[in-house]
Amino acid sequence: MEELIQGHEVASGQLSRVINLHNNRSLTVNGGHNHDLGSGDDEGFVNKMLGSFSNTLFISNGKEMKEFHHHDDQELVIQVNTSGGGGSGAGASSWDVDHLLDHAIKYEASHEETCKSASTSKDRKGSYKKRKTCHSWIKDSPALTEDGHAWRKYGQKLILNAKHPRNYFRCTHKFDQACQATKHVQKVEDDPPLFRTTYYGNHTCRDYLNASELVLDCTSPRESSKFIRFDDTNLSSKQEHPFFSSFKLLKQEDQCFKEETTPSDYMTTQHPNQLALSDHLVSPPDLPAFASPGLMSGFASANIAQLDEDAIYRQMAWFNYDDFAYDEFLQDELR
DNA sequence: TGTATTTGACCCCC
DNA sequence: GGGGGTCAAATACA
């Protein structure tokens, strides 16, 4: 968290100065015509970077932030500050907060102090207690998105007056690191598809591998699911590359929503499990989709209404492929 | 064989 | 009493 905060400060302060200096020099050299990067582009670049930091901080420690994110109706997140600490809030101005109120996003939150005691629960091979009313928040999304944490499904339940079952996930590190974070995922609308994820509790685990890459909220469909990738030079092999590890996580949740899947809904003839991505055998540049960043995003958005959940999860994988390419593209641009 | 998912049963709380 | 959250044995999968 300290490193992230420091990075945020550096980006917001020093990077702005560097870019301003760059612009001034460009104006001088080009006689007033800046052909490198327009100031608007620079500002957008900085805002995106600050937004990424904010998102990363938000995901890493939800109770530190108070921000509203809204991206072209792609995804909505409401998060509140339960600790009283000041979030950075950087980049918030570039996001369309007003539209947030137009969406019926329910928010529920309560302080951790209100968590009820489990003293009355009986021991049934360990603690067994009903949903504790801990800190919680809801996230609605048209597609299931990777949130940077490893989850394990532990239950599925048909809910009264609900068309789709509710799926229950707990943190993979519940036992080895005593992480109490859980979430429920339920499809609440069919057309257009809308998934409601309710998070309970904050992660206390430290999943270095998976935490090194997070899906961030973005400002355009093209960037609807972008990874932030930290230094991976310490990774000795492709097997440990966070890009590939993320597919394993996607696949885990992918398999948890097999209801109502029809073969005709398959976007391609290749099932995600057949991609062998989690086996780390496929190199991203081998895929033709990488030739044009954004191509798959456009393709996906055009067809997303026709797809069932299973297909959507496959599209998530394609989004992330595309994002990886786009990340490389950005790095080349920066060089 | 180890890990993840499924699913019926158990249990808490309204 | 019933809805909903969780457990854990059975099952699937790599």
Side-chain angles (χ1 to χ4, degrees):
Chain A
M1 290 298 294
E2 290 175 359
E3 290 294 326
L4 286 171
I5 293 171
Q6 183 179 356
H8 185 280
E9 291 173 351
V10 170
S12 62
Q14 309 230 4
L15 186 58
S16 295
R17 282 195 291 275
V18 168
I19 290 180
N20 285 336
L21 182 63
H22 165 78
N23 286 336
N24 291 336
R25 286 178 178 173
S26 296
L27 285 172
T28 303
V29 171
N30 299 323
H33 300 286
N34 184 356
H35 297 292
D36 294 334
L37 283 171
S39 59
D41 293 333
D42 291 346
E43 185 179 356
F45 171 72
V46 171
N47 282 337
K48 284 180 182 176
M49 178 174 286
L50 296 179
S52 294
F53 272 111
S54 300
N55 271 318
T56 307
L57 287 164
F58 152 64
I59 293 170
S60 300
N61 188 354
K63 58 183 180 179
E64 294 294 332
M65 306 291 289
K66 181 178 183 178
E67 282 192 349
F68 300 91
H69 302 173
H70 175 232
H71 316 119
D72 300 323
D73 296 331
Q74 291 277 324
E75 189 168 290
L76 287 158
V77 176
I78 301 178
Q79 184 71 20
V80 299
N81 186 343
T82 60
S83 64
S88 67
S93 61
S94 64
W95 290 323
D96 191 356
V97 176
D98 292 336
H99 282 82
L100 186 67
L101 299 177
D102 296 332
H103 295 78
I105 302 302
K106 225 171 38 172
Y107 167 75
E108 65 176 66
S110 58
H111 299 287
E112 293 186 25
E113 305 87 69
T114 65
C115 293
K116 296 182 179 178
S117 169
S119 59
T120 58
S121 63
K122 293 181 180 178
D123 284 334
R124 179 177 170 248
K125 291 185 179 180
S127 65
Y128 186 80
K129 48 197 170 187
K130 195 177 171 73
R131 157 68 44 221
K132 48 189 181 292
T133 56
C134 293
H135 169 71
S136 66
W137 64 99
I138 291 174
K139 171 183 169 182
D140 283 355
S141 176
L144 293 171
T145 56
E146 168 62 38
D147 57 14
H149 288 286
W151 299 95
R152 171 175 289 191
K153 184 178 180 179
Y154 65 87
Q156 178 174 311
K157 191 91 173 178
L158 284 171
I159 303 302
L160 193 68
N161 297 326
K163 287 188 290 185
H164 302 279
R166 178 175 296 167
N167 297 270
Y168 299 87
F169 296 88
R170 63 166 173 81
C171 179
T172 299
H173 305 291
K174 177 181 180 179
F175 298 116
D176 60 342
Q177 297 184 40
C179 182
Q180 297 299 310
T182 63
K183 72 173 181 180
H184 304 170
V185 182
Q186 186 175 11
K187 189 176 184 182
V188 293
E189 288 183 18
D190 286 320
D191 189 22
L194 183 65
F195 295 89
R196 174 160 295 167
T197 304
T198 307
Y199 293 89
Y200 295 93
N202 293 298
H203 283 273
T204 57
C205 60
R206 302 195 67 175
D207 189 341
Y208 295 103
L209 185 61
N210 295 326
S212 64
E213 185 173 78
L214 304 170
V215 173
L216 301 177
D217 295 340
C218 307
T219 56
S220 70
R222 183 189 184 192
E223 304 161 358
S224 61
S225 177
K226 193 179 308 305
F227 289 117
I228 180 171
R229 191 177 46 170
F230 297 117
D231 181 23
D232 58 357
T233 55
N234 58 327
L235 300 178
S236 57
S237 68
K238 186 176 288 185
Q239 277 86 355
E240 295 177 345
H241 195 290
F243 170 77
F244 293 95
S245 68
S246 70
F247 274 98
K248 195 168 186 177
L249 299 179
L250 286 172
K251 183 181 166 186
Q252 286 177 4
E253 290 192 36
D254 179 9
Q255 293 177 335
C256 298
F257 289 82
K258 289 183 176 175
E259 51 156 354
E260 304 170 0
T261 301
T262 58
S264 62
D265 289 328
Y266 278 37
M267 183 176 73
T268 68
T269 56
Q270 198 169 22
H271 190 275
N273 292 348
Q274 297 171 333
L275 290 173
L277 295 171
S278 61
D279 292 333
H280 314 152
L281 298 176
V282 179
S283 175
D286 295 337
L287 295 175
F290 277 78
S292 175
L295 177 64
M296 290 306 297
S297 297
F299 171 73
S301 62
N303 293 278
I304 195 165
Q306 306 167 14
L307 302 171
D308 64 356
E309 290 127 288
D310 214 30
I312 290 172
Y313 308 138
R314 273 186 297 285
Q315 287 208 338
M316 290 166 60
W318 284 106
F319 272 132
N320 293 332
Y321 259 133
D322 180 36
D323 293 332
F324 181 85
Y326 188 56
D327 179 46
E328 297 294 311
F329 168 77
L330 279 181
Q331 289 187 13
D332 291 336
E333 288 292 306
L334 289 174
R335 286 193 210 106

